[in-house]
Amino acid sequence: MTTIKKTKVLIIGGGPAGYTAAIYAARANLKPLQALGLQPGGQLMITTDVENFPGFGQPIQGPWLMEQMHQQAEHVGTEMVYDFITQVDFSQRPFVCQGDSETVYHADTVIIATGAQARWLGLESEEKYRGFGVSACATCDGFFFKDKRVAVIGGGNSAVEEAIFLTNHASHVTLIHRRDQLRAEKIAQDRLFRNPKISMIWDTAVDEVLGKDIPHKALTGLALHNLQTGAKSQLEVDGVFVAIGHTPMSEIFKGHIDLDTEGYILTKPNSTATSIPGVFAAGDVQDKVFRQAVTAAGQGCMAAIEAEKFRGL
């Protein structure tokens, strides 16, 4: 039997952007309803030590931070549902969103905070050492590899930028690419090739992430093979950063709001407003530049304030 729930603000997603939007909306007495989706907490649920979120003197755990945000949003009055939104209709207000639970949500405004997922290599060993040497965010985790050897996998702008950034911490960075030339912008490539702390491995794929479990789980290297010659080799590194792109979680919004060619939701300058008045987007589903928990939280705050000021509430 279909259940209908009505709300002034429906928040779709449960990461830093969604929780912060919920906190601000609840404190504005908008009585928000938050659909947490399939993975409440987002990418921070697979992040171990977090040192770059302001307010904590010591490293904290990503899942713990998300638990605290969840509790804070709930404490100030957010109604939370463990539901996954499968369909939306933004053609008229109130907006209509269909949940996997067969609940239908009628909302005066919607804040989309569904995030993005890093693209991974798809290796079982990669998943095993994720958070123990395998990362998809140099800005988040580069500090932990001070004076150590690391590898970056990829060939686009993100991979080149990550490799250059990591030279601020690592003793040496090896960029591994499947092809014989990079896809990154020429100016970024020039900076990369000029950096004495970076070396290249061309035409090569990663077969396996190597590591140890005793006395503690840690990555020790990569098993590689050359795609041209078939030659196999191993590279000793302490960490590997997978930089083959992110996928914004925006599939259900195609055809309903404007997206860019990569699927990121387009918002107006200095705003979280989308192409549909009353629909806002915050966090990694619309931000492909910074992709940080703190910037996602800031955008969640912006979205809630803009939803509060939206005419008609």
Side-chain angles (χ1 to χ4, degrees):
M1 181 177 176
T2 299
T3 301
I4 296 177
K5 285 196 169 189
K6 298 181 180 180
T7 181
K8 291 180 180 179
V9 182
L10 173 65
I11 300 166
I12 305 175
Y19 285 137
T20 306
I23 291 165
Y24 274 79
R27 285 174 53 82
N29 201 31
L30 297 180
K31 298 180 173 58
L33 192 154
Q34 185 173 13
L36 295 172
L38 294 176
Q39 188 184 16
Q43 295 183 70
L44 277 179
M45 296 303 290
I46 57 170
T47 303
T48 50
D49 288 347
V50 176
E51 285 193 328
N52 57 2
F53 198 90
F56 302 95
Q58 300 295 323
I60 56 175
Q61 298 294 299
W64 179 85
L65 178 59
M66 290 299 91
E67 179 185 350
Q68 294 301 303
M69 285 191 182
H70 180 113
Q71 291 179 7
Q72 185 177 3
E74 207 166 33
H75 174 74
V76 293
T78 302
E79 179 185 353
M80 296 183 178
V81 292
Y82 289 88
D83 202 357
F84 175 66
I85 302 300
T86 57
Q87 296 180 47
V88 298
D89 181 358
F90 296 153
S91 61
Q92 59 183 357
R93 294 180 61 223
F95 304 122
V96 178
C97 300
Q98 173 74 54
D100 187 58
S101 66
E102 296 189 0
T103 300
V104 177
Y105 303 93
H106 290 187
D108 293 325
T109 60
V110 172
I111 296 174
I112 301 169
T114 46
Q117 290 186 339
R119 296 185 194 130
W120 299 96
L121 301 174
L123 302 173
E124 185 177 334
S125 55
E126 171 193 48
E127 184 173 351
K128 177 180 179 180
Y129 291 102
R130 199 176 297 172
F132 297 92
V134 175
S135 173
C137 180
T139 309
C140 309
D141 300 326
F143 177 81
F144 299 110
F145 297 91
K146 186 174 178 60
D147 298 326
K148 296 183 178 181
R149 299 179 67 87
V150 300
V152 176
I153 301 170
N157 284 328
S158 294
V160 170
E161 289 166 5
E162 298 252 293
I164 294 171
F165 173 83
L166 285 165
T167 61
N168 296 320
H169 303 289
S171 61
H172 189 80
V173 179
T174 303
L175 182 58
I176 303 168
H177 187 38
R178 296 177 62 90
R179 299 178 177 84
D180 61 359
Q181 58 183 358
L182 299 172
R183 303 186 310 277
E185 296 173 351
K186 187 65 167 60
I187 189 171
Q189 292 190 43
D190 290 343
R191 289 180 59 211
L192 179 92
F193 295 139
R194 285 198 306 266
N195 196 310
K197 294 177 72 174
I198 299 175
S199 60
M200 290 294 312
I201 297 181
W202 301 103
D203 298 315
T204 297
V206 177
D207 286 338
E208 188 178 1
V209 175
L210 307 174
K212 62 180 182 179
D213 297 335
I214 299 174
H216 53 80
K217 190 184 290 187
L219 183 148
T220 58
L222 299 172
L224 309 174
H225 83 271
N226 187 288
L227 296 171
Q228 297 297 324
T229 67
K232 294 184 180 295
S233 63
Q234 290 189 3
L235 177 70
E236 291 187 9
V237 290
D238 300 291
V240 59
F241 292 82
V242 182
I244 56 177
H246 286 72
T247 301
M249 305 300 287
S250 62
E251 185 68 28
I252 65 168
F253 307 111
K254 287 182 179 178
H256 299 281
I257 53 178
D258 290 348
L259 311 176
D260 71 8
T261 55
E262 298 175 78
Y264 288 89
I265 296 175
L266 292 171
T267 54
K268 296 177 181 178
N270 302 314
S271 172
T272 62
T274 70
S275 57
I276 299 294
V279 178
F280 306 90
D284 288 9
V285 73
Q286 65 89 29
D287 172 22
K288 59 183 177 183
V289 177
F290 301 105
R291 295 198 297 262
Q292 300 298 304
V294 68
T295 52
Q299 291 161 6
C301 164
M302 290 168 59
I305 292 173
E306 289 187 286
E308 179 189 9
K309 293 180 177 178
F310 180 71
R311 186 173 57 194
L313 279 189

